[in-house]
Amino acid sequence: MNAFRSLHRSILILFAVVVISIVTLVHFSVSKIVAEQSRAQQRSISPALSLIVDQLLKPLHISQTLVEAKELKDLMKSSDIDENAVLEMLKRLEEEFGMGFFIASETSRMQYNSNGTTLELKEETVDWYFRYKAWDKDAIADIGQWADPQFYIDLKVYDDDGKFVGFFGTSKALHSFVDIFAEYKTEHSYDFIFVDQDNNIALSSDPELIVDKTTFRTLESLDWYKEIDRDSLPNQSLNNVLVTTGGKDALIAEVSIEPFGWTMYLLTPLQERQTEISRSFIISIVSLLVLIFALFVVIYHLLYYFKKDMQKNFQTDPLTKLPNRNKIELRYAELQDNNQQVGLILVDIDHFKLVNDTHGHNAGDVVLRQISMTLQNELRHGDIIGRWGGEEFVLLLPDTTPEQSFEVAQKLRERLAGMTTSMGSITIQITASFGVSHTDTNRPLTEVLGYADDALYQAKRDGRNLVRMQLSKAA
């Protein structure tokens, strides 16, 4: 994750350098007569890109990255949704990214919000879910929750078989956009209008145009739009069209926001004597804006696929916070590269299925977390512990002989055997079986682990709560 964030920052810095370079080139290409006007207009255009990136594409990018996370998919495709786990994860995401998150589950037909609230998904009261579920698009942006209007990004989530399991996305209060646009308009005197796929005005720098309760204004309802002869325009695009709004001339820039199917219209006010000069300048700026936007989309997709690839090597077990199998394999390879002898202990909780069946999976999770903490606290400096899968843990003991490895396993077995886990009035006695192996030569982890696995099964056959060791002939 740190590598991803570093790459993300580096590419954004590169992106900013490219933007500054292009703008500087345009600046020196215009005549001295319009130099001051060019600088002022550039300062106004640049925030347009920032608004698109920060307010629309950044939440989309974050959502599309998170929606690939295994933890999220496992929660959503589960036949028995763990509501507490879902709400806890959403709250954690809200605290980390500073925006609201939600999950709408097809399994439970419930919507879970990062503010801790839930909502039953019924067709008669929550029409968006069923309407967007039928759409062929996987990314949708809309406005909803009319008591406190929110801007939502809805992403469809599928399981490994391509089956739809619900929506995941972000939400931002509509008033936050109003404040941002008002700031921009005060400073630059420009107007934004964001239009959705149905030509409804979803967001605007003019508060009177933003949705009121459940009523949207449409682009066709605007006076300046009614005066435009769309049939005479190339491809019916409003790019570089001169209109009159509020008694002032303004030049329109039209930018398509493809991930949502939205369109942004940027209305640039022009002074009468500078109309022609400004028109040429705005054409150049709009071309640059489109080019820069296309560049960002390319960078965004590179980041997205990089994050998706990194997800395969995610190295922390979400339940116990211990290194997972991938991390253990990497650490073992490092020890082998350093030509260190390694003791390996495989730990398996005795009768763990009975704990789950008797007390529930929440109790099983508590047991796993407590055992992971106990094992971690008892290990020596330099020892490595990870969750291998299910109720199994693996320990790597660098620079440790077979006899020392066996002694460590015995100590851990005794520590676990004397431990109990309490949940309310329930007390659970825990024991574990241990399989020990060792290598002082360069061997594959699978081979050393195989000996430990055989020893572990011997411990279970001999009655559990035991330590057994099996070594290779050359160990």
Side-chain angles (χ1 to χ4, degrees):
M1 183 61 74
N2 289 333
F4 174 76
R5 288 174 178 168
S6 298
L7 180 66
H8 190 194
R9 287 193 293 268
S10 299
I11 291 183
L12 287 179
I13 291 172
L14 175 62
F15 171 73
V17 170
V18 171
V19 172
I20 294 172
S21 300
I22 294 176
V23 169
T24 303
L25 178 63
V26 171
H27 167 71
F28 285 105
S29 69
V30 297
S31 67
K32 293 181 180 180
I33 298 175
V34 297
E36 288 302 321
Q37 179 184 353
S38 299
R39 285 193 292 270
Q41 288 177 329
Q42 177 55 39
R43 286 194 297 269
S44 298
I45 289 292
S46 294
L49 180 63
S50 297
L51 280 174
I52 293 175
V53 172
D54 291 340
Q55 305 302 321
L56 299 180
L57 291 184
K58 183 178 178 181
L60 173 65
H61 161 67
I62 291 173
S63 298
Q64 287 188 315
T65 301
L66 293 174
V67 84
E68 294 297 327
K70 185 176 184 301
E71 177 187 5
L72 174 67
K73 287 192 173 183
D74 287 345
L75 284 174
M76 293 188 65
K77 71 184 181 182
S78 172
S79 58
D80 184 16
I81 298 294
D82 187 342
E83 182 174 310
N84 291 332
V86 171
L87 293 175
E88 181 181 345
M89 182 191 70
L90 292 174
K91 182 180 179 181
R92 187 172 70 248
L93 291 177
E94 181 178 13
E95 292 173 352
E96 181 174 352
F97 294 102
M99 64 181 73
F101 288 89
F102 70 90
I103 285 176
S105 168
E106 176 73 2
T107 302
S108 64
R109 284 291 171 88
M110 293 289 293
Q111 178 175 329
Y112 308 93
N113 303 307
S114 57
N115 63 4
T117 62
T118 59
L119 176 67
E120 188 175 359
L121 299 174
K122 295 181 178 180
E123 286 195 69
E124 60 271 17
T125 56
V126 188
D127 68 307
W128 72 266
Y129 179 86
F130 302 91
R131 180 157 41 93
Y132 293 155
K133 176 183 173 182
W135 280 23
D136 57 356
K137 290 186 177 181
D138 289 336
I140 302 120
D142 68 346
I143 309 295
Q145 193 176 331
W146 306 115
D148 178 20
Q150 302 278 322
F151 168 73
Y152 288 97
I153 294 177
D154 312 308
L155 299 179
K156 290 182 179 178
V157 183
Y158 302 91
D159 64 16
D160 297 335
D161 298 323
K163 179 183 176 183
F164 174 74
V165 294
F167 285 95
F168 172 78
T170 65
S171 64
K172 294 183 70 174
L174 207 58
H175 66 77
S176 66
F177 290 97
V178 174
D179 296 339
I180 292 170
F181 292 155
E183 242 179 71
Y184 179 88
K185 187 173 181 178
T186 300
E187 184 175 354
H188 304 286
S189 301
Y190 284 27
D191 273 310
F192 282 104
I193 298 177
F194 289 87
V195 178
D196 67 17
Q197 62 278 349
D198 298 321
N199 249 19
N200 294 319
I201 297 175
L203 300 170
S204 174
S205 56
D206 185 352
E208 295 182 4
L209 298 182
I210 294 182
V211 58
D212 178 26
K213 295 184 179 177
T214 61
T215 304
F216 282 96
R217 291 286 299 274
T218 63
L219 198 60
E220 288 79 5
S221 69
L222 303 181
D223 292 336
W224 60 262
Y225 186 85
K226 295 175 183 177
E227 297 174 0
I228 298 174
D229 182 7
R230 294 293 299 273
D231 294 332
S232 65
L233 301 176
N235 300 321
Q236 293 194 336
S237 171
L238 298 187
N239 253 333
N240 309 316
V241 173
L242 188 64
V243 297
T244 301
T245 174
K248 297 180 180 180
D249 290 337
L251 194 64
I252 300 176
E254 178 178 329
V255 178
S256 176
I257 306 176
E258 287 299 334
F260 307 133
W262 283 20
T263 304
M264 183 199 75
Y265 297 98
L266 176 66
L267 277 67
T268 308
L270 303 177
Q271 298 178 11
E272 291 184 6
R273 295 182 181 179
Q274 299 172 324
T275 297
E276 291 303 318
I277 298 175
S278 297
R279 183 195 299 269
S280 299
F281 181 79
I282 293 298
I283 289 173
S284 300
I285 291 298
V286 168
S287 299
L288 285 174
L289 182 62
V290 172
L291 177 63
I292 293 169
F293 180 75
L295 176 64
F296 181 84
V297 170
V298 171
I299 294 174
Y300 156 73
H301 282 292
L302 287 174
L303 284 172
Y304 172 72
Y305 286 111
F306 179 78
K307 175 64 176 71
K308 186 177 180 180
D309 185 63
M310 279 191 66
Q311 189 65 41
K312 298 175 183 177
N313 297 316
F314 200 57
Q315 297 176 344
T316 302
D317 174 57
L319 177 64
T320 64
K321 308 304 180 186
L322 294 177
N324 66 4
R325 182 177 298 215
N326 288 339
K327 183 64 174 179
I328 290 295
E329 290 172 347
L330 290 173
R331 295 301 304 273
Y332 179 81
E334 292 173 2
L335 296 174
Q336 291 281 283
D337 290 341
N338 293 330
N339 296 318
Q340 293 177 267
Q341 64 171 327
V342 182
L344 187 147
I345 302 175
L346 195 59
V347 184
D348 187 276
I349 303 172
D350 295 331
H351 304 297
F352 184 72
K353 184 177 184 300
L354 184 62
V355 173
N356 282 333
D357 293 344
T358 305
H359 305 292
H361 287 279
N362 285 341
D365 290 346
V366 171
V367 168
L368 287 171
R369 281 194 291 265
Q370 185 170 344
I371 287 179
S372 68
M373 291 176 60
T374 301
L375 293 174
Q376 198 168 19
N377 292 336
E378 292 294 323
L379 290 183
R380 308 162 306 171
H381 178 72
D383 292 343
I384 302 159
I385 179 173
R387 187 180 179 192
W388 193 247
E391 64 269 27
E392 285 190 337
F393 298 86
V394 65
L395 290 75
L396 302 179
L397 312 179
D399 296 322
T400 305
T401 65
E403 294 75 15
Q404 291 171 333
S405 301
F406 191 88
E407 290 175 5
V408 170
Q410 280 286 19
K411 178 182 175 183
L412 294 175
R413 183 197 65 77
E414 292 170 1
R415 179 70 179 86
L416 293 183
M419 182 184 76
T420 58
T421 299
S422 298
M423 293 185 62
S425 60
I426 301 172
T427 299
I428 304 173
Q429 181 71 42
I430 298 300
T431 63
S433 299
F434 291 71
V436 180
S437 63
H438 177 272
T439 181
D440 54 9
T441 59
N442 199 324
R443 296 175 184 274
L445 177 60
T446 52
E447 180 181 342
V448 182
L449 192 67
Y451 290 117
D453 199 40
D454 291 342
L456 175 64
Y457 276 99
Q458 184 62 49
K460 287 186 173 292
R461 285 193 296 268
D462 291 346
R464 292 185 169 86
N465 190 22
L466 295 170
V467 178
R468 293 291 182 263
M469 182 166 64
Q470 184 169 324
L471 305 175
S472 65
K473 294 180 180 179

